[in-house]
Amino acid sequence: MLPTDFAALEPYGDWILENERDRYAKRLASSMEEMQAFYDAAFPLLEKAAAHLDEFVLHELPEAERNLLLLMFSLVNVSFPVEVWKQPRVPDSGAAYLDLVVEPRV
Amino acid sequence: MPHFAKPAAGSWTEQYPELGTGPVNYEDSIDPAYYEAEREAIFKRTWLNVGRVELLPKTGSYFTKELAVADTSLILVRGRDQQIRAFHNVCRHRGNKLVWNDYPGEEVKGTCRQFTCKYHAWRYDLAGDLTFVQQEEEFFGLDKGEYGLKSVRCEIWEGFVFVNLDPDAQPLAEYLGEMAKGLEGYPFHEMTEVFTYKAEVGSNWKLFIDAFAEFYHAPVLHLKQAVKGEADKLFTIGFEALHYELHSPHSMISSWGGMSPPKDLNMVKPVERVLRSGLFGPWDRPDIAGLDTLPAGLNPARHRAWGSDSFEFFPNMTLLVWAPGWYLTYHYWPTAVDKHVFEANLYFAPARTARERLAQELAAVTFKEYALQDGNTLEATQTMLRSRAVMDFPLNDQEILLRHLHKVVGDYVKEHADAAD
Ligand code: FES
Ligand SMILES: [Fe+2]
């Protein structure tokens, strides 16, 4: 599912999601423990992942590489709860929502 | 202690004596009758931006725009002659909505050769002409030439498509005036990678403009977004703009940009350090022409610490240009006195590498975290304004754009009412 060098992230494969709506929904549905575990495994590999992906043409990524990129999008999404909020939701955001209806294709 | 110089008049606000410095009344955000007046005096008469030319890339590309505030829906379409035109989305036979999918209230987009009405199959070409009438011989001397789609004024500025429901309105360029002129030449057309956000917000449309037209709230409402030491510092310093400018009915605020990149990497979150990006956008400028020399309207104070300029194009468009080379737009589409659809678009130069794409993703995700806090706060504000317990509010010098917005809205409403007398 992922490039061999990133096999350590295979257990977090359910964070490989096609769009922001799904990533954000999964974040809201996850516990802090779950997100912390994903973050602790993925964050140390972020720089290495970026370097690896940059060896490919962005819009022609092989499937494993594309999965890695989508996984790193999820890491970006959970970085807020983990690094600052200490909770899945944005504080003081109540019932407010903001849907990403168009996003660039990868 | 001030960090940036103010005008000789002593304050930004006092440069414009017509604004006054007294408390501002917010009845204009809760009174249903006032909202009705705004619809007539403002939204049916001013130039409204409905998107960019990139949304209509080729012959037959179209999209619809719901304008609840003006009780209509529009079709925007690129014709065979490459002209972009706007029409009321209404069939000339018996008034069915011409272009829609399953749900009449939802906006749609696509490409077509002609528009065919779902009801009795009347057809219109891309220039709006009626080309086919089902069982035409049953009608009574019907002249198809007289039953084309009702057109709407449509003009383009720097790739931004504007419409105006008033056939007698002044030309777009004239309406946008000096402030827009100063932005001409910025490479908007190179920034074609788009993130589009939408939400319905339970507040008057002006309250959301208020929230984005001042940054006085940023170190407070968004305090927890920064790392701890940095948040404390920001809170103590507060916010001061580099520059404000009013070209009524439009206005702008120019701000510093110390976070892109930050002086000290410890100022920002770990993910920002790795991806070199954050609220202010990717720290590394995209490799496109037009960013080395900026048009005169950007960074009008010519300040070294410049980070962003936010333009309020009256009535409902914010255009925010960031120093690192990307921009965003906000639109606030009223649906009721206490409700509007908020739309935000983030525009980047297309990413060439995964690393660039990840930097954009972080900027986009960060934007959303902030905007959620803003949107939610507005609903709290709206409910309390409705109590009418307090109606007059003291606006400070960093809130000059709000003072100006509410005054301009008031002037339009009054002028329209006076003309009707
Ligand atoms: S209403 Fe459109 S064809 Fe009859
Ligand atoms: Fe804000």
Side-chain angles (χ1 to χ4, degrees):
Chain A
M1 197 157 42
L2 292 167
T4 19
D5 283 359
F6 299 89
L9 299 178
E10 294 283 350
Y12 303 98
D14 53 344
W15 285 99
I16 299 171
L17 296 164
E18 275 301 319
N19 52 55
E20 189 269 357
R21 197 181 280 237
D22 296 343
R23 294 190 280 274
Y24 195 74
K26 182 161 171 60
R27 157 177 158 181
L28 291 187
S30 300
S31 68
M32 281 313 296
E33 291 69 36
E34 287 164 335
M35 283 191 278
Q36 188 73 51
F38 169 45
Y39 180 93
D40 289 343
F43 184 74
L45 292 173
L46 176 56
E47 173 53 41
K48 194 175 156 197
H52 174 75
L53 291 171
D54 280 355
E55 289 168 20
F56 299 84
V57 177
L58 176 57
H59 295 286
E60 295 162 22
L61 294 177
E63 198 183 326
E65 273 69 24
R66 187 167 179 276
N67 285 340
L68 179 62
L69 181 59
L70 292 176
L71 190 67
M72 290 301 150
F73 286 171
S74 282
L75 172 65
V76 169
N77 215 305
V78 305
S79 71
F80 272 87
V82 172
E83 292 181 354
V84 287
W85 305 137
K86 313 296 174 212
Q87 62 179 48
R89 269 202 94 78
V90 180
D92 303 318
S93 71
Y97 70 95
L98 194 59
D99 286 336
L100 185 54
V101 294
V102 178
E103 61 189 299
R105 290 227 145 275
V106 288
Chain B
M1 206 203 45
H3 294 80
F4 303 122
K6 289 203 182 195
S11 72
W12 297 103
T13 311
E14 285 160 304
Q15 282 195 108
Y16 305 95
E18 67 278 14
L19 294 180
T21 53
V24 171
N25 187 281
Y26 268 67
E27 182 71 26
D28 68 358
S29 299
I30 53 172
D31 177 8
Y34 196 89
Y35 173 65
E36 291 305 318
E38 284 179 344
R39 300 172 62 172
E40 295 302 322
I42 298 169
F43 288 93
K44 292 186 185 175
R45 258 156 248 279
T46 53
W47 285 98
L48 305 172
N49 173 245
V50 292
R52 281 197 53 85
V53 291
E54 290 86 18
L55 290 170
L56 302 168
K58 50 179 196 263
T59 301
S61 299
Y62 69 87
F63 66 88
T64 63
K65 185 79 209 164
E66 293 304 306
L67 285 186
V69 66
D71 287 320
T72 193
S73 164
L74 302 181
I75 306 169
L76 280 292
V77 59
R78 186 184 287 271
R80 293 187 193 286
D81 55 1
Q82 298 311 305
Q83 269 261 97
I84 292 175
R85 295 180 177 82
F87 303 103
H88 284 280
N89 190 2
V90 55
C91 178
R92 291 298 302 269
H93 172 225
R94 259 169 52 210
N96 184 30
K97 189 170 202 164
L98 183 60
V99 181
W100 51 283
N101 292 340
D102 271 358
Y103 302 93
E106 277 179 18
E107 294 176 348
V108 296
K109 60 184 170 187
T111 310
C112 67
R113 290 157 175 274
Q114 62 193 356
F115 300 110
T116 306
C117 183
K118 291 181 200 293
Y119 209 172
H120 316 92
W122 282 31
R123 285 184 222 150
Y124 305 85
D125 67 16
L126 302 178
D129 294 327
L130 175 62
T131 54
F132 173 81
V133 171
Q134 172 79 357
Q135 289 174 269
E136 192 174 348
E137 66 284 357
E138 292 287 337
F139 286 85
F140 306 93
L142 184 83
D143 176 0
K144 290 211 285 295
E146 294 197 346
Y147 290 92
L149 295 177
K150 279 278 255 194
S151 68
V152 170
R153 290 278 297 281
C154 178
E155 289 175 23
I156 292 163
W157 169 78
E158 294 294 286
F160 294 95
V161 181
F162 284 78
V163 296
N164 196 320
L165 296 170
D166 177 3
D168 302 320
Q170 67 187 134
L172 174 66
E174 202 176 286
Y175 174 76
L176 294 178
E178 278 302 295
M179 221 178 64
K181 252 216 139 358
L183 290 178
E184 287 174 8
Y186 187 77
F188 295 110
H189 63 283
E190 297 273 12
M191 301 176 186
T192 52
E193 198 128 283
V194 190
F195 293 74
T196 301
Y197 294 88
K198 257 188 199 174
E200 187 168 72
V201 178
S203 89
N204 184 271
W205 62 284
K206 297 188 292 303
L207 297 187
F208 214 148
I209 301 184
D210 283 358
F212 281 135
E214 56 86 0
F215 300 130
Y216 172 56
H217 78 271
V220 185
L221 177 64
H222 307 307
L223 182 68
K224 293 185 208 131
Q225 306 245 4
V227 297
K228 177 80 175 96
E230 206 47 39
D232 294 345
K233 226 187 298 169
L234 290 171
F235 185 80
T236 322
I237 294 172
F239 173 81
E240 289 168 42
L242 298 177
H243 192 79
Y244 291 99
E245 212 156 303
L246 308 185
H247 285 282
S248 268
H250 319 296
S251 60
M252 69 88 70
I253 169 176
S254 187
S255 308
W256 75 300
M259 306 297 255
S260 57
K263 275 197 218 70
D264 170 3
L265 285 180
N266 290 317
M267 289 165 74
V268 300
K269 297 189 274 294
V271 71
E272 299 179 43
R273 279 171 232 158
V274 176
L275 293 180
R276 301 183 53 77
S277 177
L279 179 67
F280 291 48
W283 301 346
D284 304 301
R285 276 202 321 195
D287 185 17
I288 53 171
L291 291 178
D292 289 335
T293 326
L294 294 176
L298 287 172
N299 186 13
R302 298 278 159 250
H303 208 289
R304 278 195 350 265
W306 179 65
S308 73
D309 282 348
S310 185
F311 299 84
E312 299 300 331
F313 287 110
F314 189 78
N316 69 335
M317 178 197 195
T318 302
L319 171 59
L320 204 171
V321 178
W322 296 91
W326 63 293
Y327 76 97
L328 56 76
T329 60
Y330 304 135
H331 292 88
Y332 320 82
W333 297 108
T335 48
V337 65
D338 56 357
K339 230 185 273 171
H340 70 277
V341 171
F342 171 67
E343 197 184 312
N345 286 286
L346 281 57
Y347 294 92
F348 298 96
R352 292 161 313 176
T353 64
R355 196 185 287 271
E356 285 178 1
R357 181 61 182 75
L358 278 162
Q360 294 175 356
E361 186 73 15
L362 178 56
V365 164
T366 308
F367 159 76
K368 174 164 164 168
E369 312 272 321
Y370 276 82
L372 282 169
Q373 293 185 323
D374 291 317
N376 197 45
T377 303
L378 301 180
E379 306 209 356
T381 307
Q382 185 75 31
T383 53
M384 291 324 293
L385 288 179
R386 198 182 300 140
S387 77
R388 287 198 168 78
V390 180
M391 286 314 294
D392 295 305
F393 298 93
L395 299 185
N396 71 37
D397 204 27
Q398 303 295 335
E399 295 171 311
I400 175 175
L401 264 46
L402 286 58
R403 190 183 286 281
H404 175 249
L405 171 68
H406 290 264
K407 176 174 190 310
V408 171
V409 168
D411 291 349
Y412 268 71
V413 166
K414 181 169 184 314
E415 205 177 295
H416 187 63
D418 290 351
D421 278 350

